[in-house]
Amino acid sequence: MADDVSYWLSSTPPTSYPTATAADELRDLDVAVIGGGIAGLCTAWALARAGRRVAVFEAGRIAHATTGNTTAKVTALHSAIYHHLGPDKALRYARSQQSGLRRLHEAATEVGAQCDWEARPAYTYAVGADAADSLREEAQAAAEAGLPAEFVTTADLPYPVAGAVRVADQAQLHPRRFLLALVEDVVRLGGRIYEQAQVTELGDGTLTLAGGRAVTAYDIVVTTGFPAFDRPELFARLVPKRELVVAAAIPAEADPGGMFLGIDDDRSVRTTPLDDGRRLLIVTGETYQPGDGGIAQRYAALTAWTGEHFPIAGVAYRWSAQDYTTTDRIPFVGRFPGHDRVWVATGFGGWGMTNAMAAADLLTARITDRDVPEWADLYDPHRLHPVKEASTLAKAAGTVAKSLVGERLTKPDTTLDELAPGRGAVVTVDGRRCAAYRDEVGTLHTVSASCTHLGCIVGFNDADRTWECPCHGSRFDVDGAVLQGPALRPLPPVQPR
Ligand code: FES
């Protein structure tokens, strides 16, 4: 039976940083960082090293949610983005991502992190001829942008590819081993880390923690995957997606020796070392929108595919990851719209490693009034590209509209009485949409199906037994407790008559 926790979390100790108490001095900080994922922690580290008094406020545990479930590829090759960007943006994007890669390596070295850093080539491959043709253009665009990129017709995978972009001198690491060492350095430098410290309100120079505690800081950095604070400009332009991951031990000689992403088979492959000399194969895929059903079936498909292509004796771990992509595929890093001294870093589109460190450097330069990198404007959250973004933006808006209105009118496919043990479904109770789950012993768990963020109707994840919101990716347990924002409040209970 596979462990339902990621390998990164299973192979590192849990953290237990304190929550903020009345005894903590939380006035007049230099910088408050909201979110303890890789972007928040790298930013806190860079600022602490620049001499700033910094505190991180994480709603759950640090290096846990998206960061604890990443695939941790440290590469500037992000699917097939360079041809899409065009020459000028591609050049700046490549420079920023290569800078992120280089700086991550420097940081890991400086803090002495034992984080399984391994230099590896990165591949974007295609199994079909048409997709392979598009990768020829991508290889050329990436090479013209300055990456050590080439088009190849073979990769060291145990299945044929029609073509691939190969970029040399990229890397992979164990994200939590890296970040836990980085955080120790933040604390050594006088920085503070608070866990289970949810931020509920944000203003210029102030934030409020759950329970009403006020924090003041000259600068505030928001690095939560989806900024929970009302800025419609960002809301409409961030699209959540989820991916499944399975991991299994393979003999060292079966290691394909690189990091691979298929653009037409929805599969991604890398390995990491195990203590016994074997490698842990990590396969990602079955991308879906939060709230889509059939997750157990998707896990089964990913497991079967892995067993067909690699010599595994069973899956050791399985987990899922959630990330946000912007409608023009470039992250938002810079001034938070509507505020003077609030900054944001989000929308990494599944490429959080290099993006996080590049964002940390950019925000640190802004906050400390140093020269910003020449690629800074590319990431400006205020940018608008109405033509290029139009179709993705319309699709995202369509999802929200459908989940807010249309789905409410659709007849539920089951009733409370018909709900079998182990199943969850949205049903109608007393004329209202209700998220109902019947556990294995037959007890019903019924909560409102309207997400407490902006009211979209949630969908059931039958593998994790959670409720997921399709609009901005909030997640809840079967009793309504928030597992992941932007929602701040639980789904209220419903008592069927
Ligand atoms: Fe925004 Fe649910 S996460 S409406």
Side-chain angles (χ1 to χ4, degrees):
M1 182 75 182
D3 195 339
D4 273 341
V5 177
S6 83
Y7 169 69
W8 318 123
L9 287 160
S10 297
S11 55
T12 46
T15 56
S16 57
Y17 287 96
T19 193
T21 68
D24 291 300
E25 183 45 68
L26 299 177
R27 299 269 163 195
D28 301 327
L29 296 167
D30 289 334
V31 188
V33 176
I34 306 174
I38 186 169
L41 297 175
C42 287
T43 304
W45 180 75
L47 286 162
R49 289 182 68 97
R52 294 302 190 272
R53 288 175 54 242
V54 59
V56 176
F57 299 90
E58 162 57 45
R61 297 287 175 193
I62 60 164
H64 204 282
T66 298
T67 298
N69 294 294
T70 173
T71 48
K73 297 172 176 171
V74 188
T75 176
L77 181 63
H78 297 173
S79 185
I81 195 170
Y82 291 98
H83 184 61
H84 162 82
L85 289 178
D88 172 54
K89 287 186 192 146
L91 189 67
R92 288 184 285 154
Y93 192 83
R95 284 183 183 160
S96 62
Q97 300 302 324
Q98 287 285 69
S99 167
L101 191 164
R102 194 170 51 249
R103 292 277 297 121
L104 268 182
H105 193 219
E106 287 169 4
T109 306
E110 283 173 35
V111 302
Q114 303 296 310
C115 61
D116 299 330
W117 183 281
E118 296 178 310
R120 287 283 186 278
Y123 293 81
T124 299
Y125 69 80
V127 292
D130 288 351
D133 279 347
S134 75
L135 289 183
R136 274 181 203 282
E137 295 174 331
E138 178 64 9
Q140 190 177 344
E144 285 170 4
L147 296 182
E150 60 179 334
F151 181 78
V152 294
T153 50
T154 56
D156 290 325
L157 285 164
Y159 47 93
V161 302
V165 183
R166 180 183 190 277
V167 174
D169 304 329
Q170 308 298 288
Q172 57 191 19
L173 52 54
H174 187 309
R176 272 179 64 89
R177 288 189 182 141
F178 164 64
L179 287 170
L180 297 185
L182 199 74
V183 167
E184 275 182 28
D185 202 47
V186 172
V187 173
R188 186 184 65 77
L189 292 163
R192 284 179 277 165
I193 308 289
Y194 295 106
E195 294 188 322
Q196 298 181 317
Q198 187 181 49
V199 175
T200 56
E201 282 176 44
L202 172 73
D204 271 318
T206 65
L207 54 87
T208 308
L209 301 177
R213 188 81 203 279
V215 178
T216 63
Y218 191 69
D219 287 281
I220 295 173
V221 180
V222 182
T223 64
T224 52
F226 194 97
F229 312 100
D230 286 335
R231 296 313 312 171
E233 301 97 297
L234 297 188
F235 273 23
R237 297 166 66 208
L238 281 167
V239 182
K241 67 162 188 173
R242 292 184 65 76
E243 291 180 310
L244 305 184
V245 186
V246 297
I250 56 171
E253 53 276 18
D255 181 359
M259 302 174 290
F260 305 86
L261 174 73
I263 54 164
D264 54 355
D265 67 354
D266 191 17
R267 294 292 182 262
S268 145
V269 171
R270 69 159 279 193
T271 67
T272 197
L274 292 171
D275 290 343
D276 61 5
R278 294 182 298 166
R279 307 284 300 184
L280 187 72
L281 173 75
I282 300 170
V283 176
T284 310
E286 298 295 320
T287 311
Y288 71 99
Q289 183 182 7
D292 282 355
I295 309 306
Q297 219 173 352
R298 290 175 191 270
Y299 267 124
L302 194 61
T303 303
W305 183 92
T306 305
E308 278 164 26
H309 294 95
F310 292 90
I312 64 168
V315 164
Y317 305 90
R318 68 173 205 179
W319 69 89
S320 55
Q322 178 160 316
D323 213 333
Y324 296 89
T325 305
T326 68
T327 42
D328 67 359
R329 297 175 60 188
I330 301 171
F332 296 134
V333 184
R335 202 179 298 279
F336 199 101
H339 293 272
D340 278 339
R341 304 262 351 157
V342 181
W343 312 88
V344 65
T346 189
F348 298 157
W351 302 103
M353 300 293 110
T354 52
N355 266 312
M357 192 49 110
D361 283 340
L362 169 49
L363 295 180
T364 300
R366 291 259 189 240
I367 287 169
T368 58
D369 289 327
R370 293 181 187 161
D371 289 343
V372 294
E374 31 87 28
W375 39 262
D377 287 352
L378 184 64
Y379 295 91
D380 184 356
H382 295 81
R383 70 183 184 270
L384 278 177
H385 306 294
V387 176
K388 274 207 156 180
E389 286 181 61
S391 75
T392 324
L393 200 51
K395 204 168 153 209
T399 299
V400 174
K402 187 171 148 220
S403 303
L404 278 168
V405 183
E407 292 287 303
R408 289 174 196 271
L409 304 176
T410 307
K411 192 171 175 298
D413 61 3
T414 190
T415 65
L416 271 187
D417 291 341
E418 290 166 356
L419 203 59
R423 277 202 66 205
V426 174
V427 300
T428 301
V429 172
D430 302 330
R432 291 172 54 206
R433 284 303 172 94
C434 164
Y437 167 67
R438 191 184 297 279
D439 65 25
E440 303 298 352
V441 295
T443 307
L444 267 176
H445 302 250
T446 47
V447 292
S448 166
S450 288
C451 175
T452 53
H453 178 226
L454 292 178
C456 292
I457 299 296
V458 296
F460 191 61
N461 178 326
D462 59 351
D464 296 341
R465 311 218 161 156
T466 52
W467 296 103
E468 298 172 348
C469 180
C471 290
H472 314 108
S474 290
R475 295 171 58 239
F476 307 86
D477 75 11
V478 291
D479 293 312
V482 177
L483 299 173
Q484 186 164 352
L488 297 171
R489 288 172 290 114
L491 299 173
V494 170
Q495 299 298 342
R497 267 181 272 171

